[in-house]
Amino acid sequence: MTDSSHFYDVTIIGAGAAGLFCAGQAGQRGLRVLLIDHGDKIAEKVRISGGGRANFTNRALDVRAPEKHFISDNPRFCRSALSRYTPADFVALLDKYGIAWHEKHKGQLFCDRSAQDLIDMLLAECAAATAQGGRVDRWQPCSIKKIAEFQEKNSQCHNTQATPRFIIDSEKGTVLTHCLVIATGGLSIPKIGATDFGYRMAQQFGHSIVPLRPALVPLTFDEAQWAAFVPLAGLSLPVKLETGNGKNKGSFDEDLLFTHRGLSGPAVLQISSYWAANTPIRLNLAPQQDLLALLKDGKSRSRKRIANELHGTLPARLADTWTQRSPDWQRPINEASDKALSALATSLTQWHITPNGSEGYRKAEVTAGGVNTRELSGQTMESSKSPGLYFIGEVVDVTGWLGGYNFQWAWASAFACAQACFEAKNTVAAALQPSTKAMPTKAT
């Protein structure tokens, strides 16, 4: 250990939601923590989330089966952490700081004023470490040149209470650390600093990566295929949307938004996490109605054009555009055949269409896939490949539904990791304590 080296119990790479929360939790357990981030802005993804008000958790999360709101190659992995740090725990923390919040749709909780209140709270939690005998230092912006396992044969180092396991070469100096936490997030929204650093670090230490893909992202369609629907851009309506089958099936009752390039809105963002390339999505554009019965009733009593008859059931612009797709649907409803009305009802309630892709990471809220959870501890987030190495938050192959679930995963995985780092230090300290047993005396 050189004079210019900095020693920390815990070093966290990534100052986003998971990294900041982990730093505060570890520091308040009396640990010396260093938080490093290559960006110059703190928690930028938190700041822009939820329309600037941060959808920080979802109280609909079922702590008995939290995995039903998350996607992973190993679905039950997230259960332990999410059960031990719940939405109610995080709400209690906001209440402690006097941060006003409100509930919107389906259990989604937002800050009343601004996401900045949440960031300020996370920074205050880091500052609170000092009163508990710990400390949290932050190097930002600071790039990392290299991370390696600590190999130096130095008896002075190995007699300390927290033997360094990793050495970090950064632009602000060399760091020796006992616990290394990767909280670098995914590839989503590169314009605010997203990189593949966390995945490269995982592979460096022998971990496999579940294939990455944009998730919670708008879907796009072939230009020629979509041309008929371009006039609907900006239109929103409630739908039922499905894709896949069996265990891989996704199904959501949410709002849909037509765009110039395809489909967006909560329903599509949700289904995008389940959608596989070259497979269709299935839409019911009138999920609350028996559309065929309504059309047949209209035929028996009305002389309106079919589109006008649909105006009371569907948005007028949708009805007008949709009925232009067939000459059989462009006539007075009383002159339409039952077969034509049946085909119209089916087309609206069983619309199958295949996206050609998505808007990609630039518009994706999160990255699906990530560090293989079969190589991590579900209780501690520690690597099974390299003791003292931890992965938390979005970099892990755990992806939540839209609506605050991904933030809850950040808080829960960070909490589990901070507790594990504290216990790891205590274990080392106990092992290094001199024995209190009396030395045997020589027999006389």
Side-chain angles (χ1 to χ4, degrees), residues 153-286:
K153 305 300 181 182
N154 186 312
S155 60
Q156 182 180 354
C157 277
H158 290 276
N159 284 332
T160 64
Q161 287 194 339
T163 308
R165 286 171 165 167
F166 301 94
I167 182 167
I168 303 167
D169 181 13
S170 85
E171 68 176 356
K172 292 194 174 182
T174 301
V175 178
L176 299 167
T177 191
H178 184 61
C179 295
L180 174 63
V181 181
I182 305 298
T184 48
L187 302 177
S188 305
I189 322 181
K191 69 179 181 181
I192 62 170
T195 74
D196 66 348
F197 180 90
Y199 308 119
R200 287 188 282 113
M201 284 299 100
Q203 291 173 319
Q204 176 184 319
F205 288 99
H207 284 271
S208 58
I209 304 296
V210 174
L212 307 173
R213 66 187 191 280
L216 301 183
V217 63
L219 298 176
T220 59
F221 298 84
D222 174 78
E223 187 175 348
Q225 177 191 28
W226 195 247
F229 306 107
V230 170
L232 297 175
L235 178 69
S236 178
L237 74 160
V239 302
K240 183 178 183 67
L241 181 53
E242 297 180 335
T243 195
N245 295 286
K247 291 190 297 183
N248 297 319
K249 181 179 179 180
S251 179
F252 295 93
D253 293 282
E254 289 277 8
D255 285 353
L256 172 79
L257 174 68
F258 285 87
T259 73
H260 286 95
R261 289 166 45 85
L263 295 171
S264 187
V268 173
L269 299 185
Q270 294 279 39
I271 213 70
S272 69
S273 298
Y274 292 83
W275 176 69
N278 302 315
T279 62
I281 58 175
R282 307 181 292 273
L283 299 99
N284 183 343
L285 298 175

